[in-house]
Amino acid sequence: MGNMIDIAIVKDGKKSEVQGSLYNWIKGKDSYIKLNECVVEQQDNAVVILFNHDSCMEGNGFSYFFSSETTGVVLSIYVYDSDYWGYTLYDNGKEVDMFCTRPYWSLSNPSLEELQKYSGNSVVLSKYFNVEEDSIKNYLVSWPEETEGQGKAYPDDKHSQEDWQILDFMEKLGYQYPEEEEGFPDYFDDFSREYVSNDNETTSNGGTSKSSGFMLIAMGIIFLLAIVFTKEFLLFVLLFGITGSILLSVGGWLLYRGFQSDRLD
């Protein structure tokens, strides 16, 4: 199997903000993204994320999510099985440009309109990243069935029409492929403490709610049982009955809240 590469470039992003958003993206859902296998780099005024290789291209979904939440610009770049590469450019949660070197491989019986949609727009891309259009337009070409022996997009490139052409493409946009370290760096090394503390607080509150709920339910049952021994006194029956019912209701609500917190975690 060839390379599966999933990258996001967050323009004008801050590392802690991106890490926090990535954490919120996977929390409470079945996600293919593994935080401890993601490389998150601050590169000048942007954040570059290299997702784990088995992310199933979920980085594109996160790119849309982050762009929508922050009204920012995110470029999602991918390589599929070394067969082709492409990108989707998001601005404020909207797709403003798309490209794929082999759209007829990634789409099933694509129409002319779909092929046009995936042809890329070098004018749009150059404006978003403040680069010369001539420096990137040669990358936005459709590959033939066989690319062996095909030339480079530009003379100074290191790669021809292959998966690693994205390195030259990223460099022309002003970014570098994130450096992978053996075992991957610890995602939480410089993770914003705000998100970690909030998560711990949620977990703690869930446990406290359940404990309080069990205690109040037990007290409610005791009060209701006391009615048996005071049934000859109407005032005590009413007092114990009302108190027991209230305790059971509040206890049940606290239990529900506690189990909901555990489910969200």
Side-chain angles (χ1 to χ4, degrees):
M1 186 172 181
N3 290 317
M4 302 290 285
I5 303 174
D6 195 3
I7 295 174
I9 299 175
V10 181
K11 190 180 177 185
D12 300 322
K14 294 183 179 179
K15 186 175 180 179
S16 60
E17 180 185 15
V18 173
Q19 286 176 316
S21 184
L22 185 57
Y23 177 75
N24 289 333
W25 165 258
I26 73 165
K27 185 178 180 182
K29 69 170 68 172
D30 292 330
S31 175
Y32 290 102
I33 294 176
K34 303 171 185 177
L35 297 183
N36 65 323
E37 294 185 10
C38 292
V39 182
V40 185
E41 283 188 0
Q42 184 79 50
Q43 296 187 15
D44 295 328
N45 64 335
V47 176
V48 181
I49 309 169
L50 175 62
F51 297 94
N52 48 291
H53 298 298
D54 54 351
S55 69
C56 294
M57 304 303 160
E58 192 179 332
N60 184 62
F62 170 75
S63 297
Y64 166 76
F65 167 78
F66 187 86
S67 177
S68 302
E69 291 291 305
T70 63
T71 67
V73 175
V74 184
L75 181 65
S76 172
I77 304 175
Y78 61 89
V79 170
Y80 185 82
D81 200 21
S82 293
D83 289 330
Y84 55 85
W85 69 267
Y87 68 75
T88 302
L89 178 63
Y90 294 101
D91 184 1
N92 195 16
K94 297 179 181 179
E95 294 178 353
V96 294
D97 190 27
M98 298 178 70
F99 172 71
C100 181
T101 57
R102 282 180 171 143
Y104 42 86
W105 284 18
S106 62
L107 302 172
S108 178
N109 297 319
S111 64
L112 184 61
E113 183 179 353
E114 288 177 316
L115 290 175
Q116 182 64 32
K117 181 180 179 181
Y118 280 86
S119 64
N121 190 323
S122 57
V123 175
V124 171
L125 198 63
S126 63
K127 289 181 178 179
Y128 269 96
F129 290 93
N130 300 313
V131 297
E132 293 292 331
E133 182 196 357
D134 288 342
S135 69
I136 58 172
K137 68 179 183 180
N138 290 354
Y139 295 113
L140 309 188
V141 296
S142 181
W143 289 355
E145 288 290 332
E146 296 294 334
T147 59
E148 186 176 355
Q150 296 294 324
K152 302 175 181 179
Y154 294 93
D156 59 342
D157 283 353
K158 297 178 181 178
H159 306 278
S160 57
Q161 291 183 349
E162 57 176 295
D163 48 6
W164 292 113
Q165 189 182 55
I166 63 167
L167 274 64
D168 296 316
F169 174 67
M170 288 178 62
E171 188 172 342
K172 293 296 175 63
L173 293 178
Y175 306 102
Q176 301 295 322
Y177 187 84
E179 294 184 8
E180 298 181 65
E181 299 177 11
E182 186 175 354
F184 294 91
D186 186 355
Y187 173 80
F188 290 101
D189 274 351
D190 51 3
F191 182 75
S192 173
R193 299 301 174 188
E194 176 186 352
Y195 298 98
V196 177
S197 61
N198 284 347
D199 186 50
N200 290 338
E201 182 180 349
T202 301
T203 304
S204 177
N205 288 342
T208 302
S209 295
K210 287 191 293 183
S211 299
S212 300
F214 280 122
M215 183 178 66
L216 290 178
I217 288 175
M219 291 175 62
I221 293 173
I222 292 173
F223 271 91
L224 292 178
L225 289 175
I227 294 176
V228 177
F229 302 99
T230 58
K231 58 185 178 180
E232 297 180 359
F233 302 94
L234 181 59
L235 180 61
F236 285 107
V237 170
L238 290 174
L239 179 63
F240 289 159
I242 293 173
T243 303
S245 298
I246 292 174
L247 289 172
L248 285 175
S249 298
V250 175
W253 178 78
L254 287 174
L255 271 180
Y256 171 79
R257 181 181 174 186
F259 282 115
Q260 282 293 99
S261 295
D262 286 348
R263 185 180 66 83
L264 290 175
D265 289 336

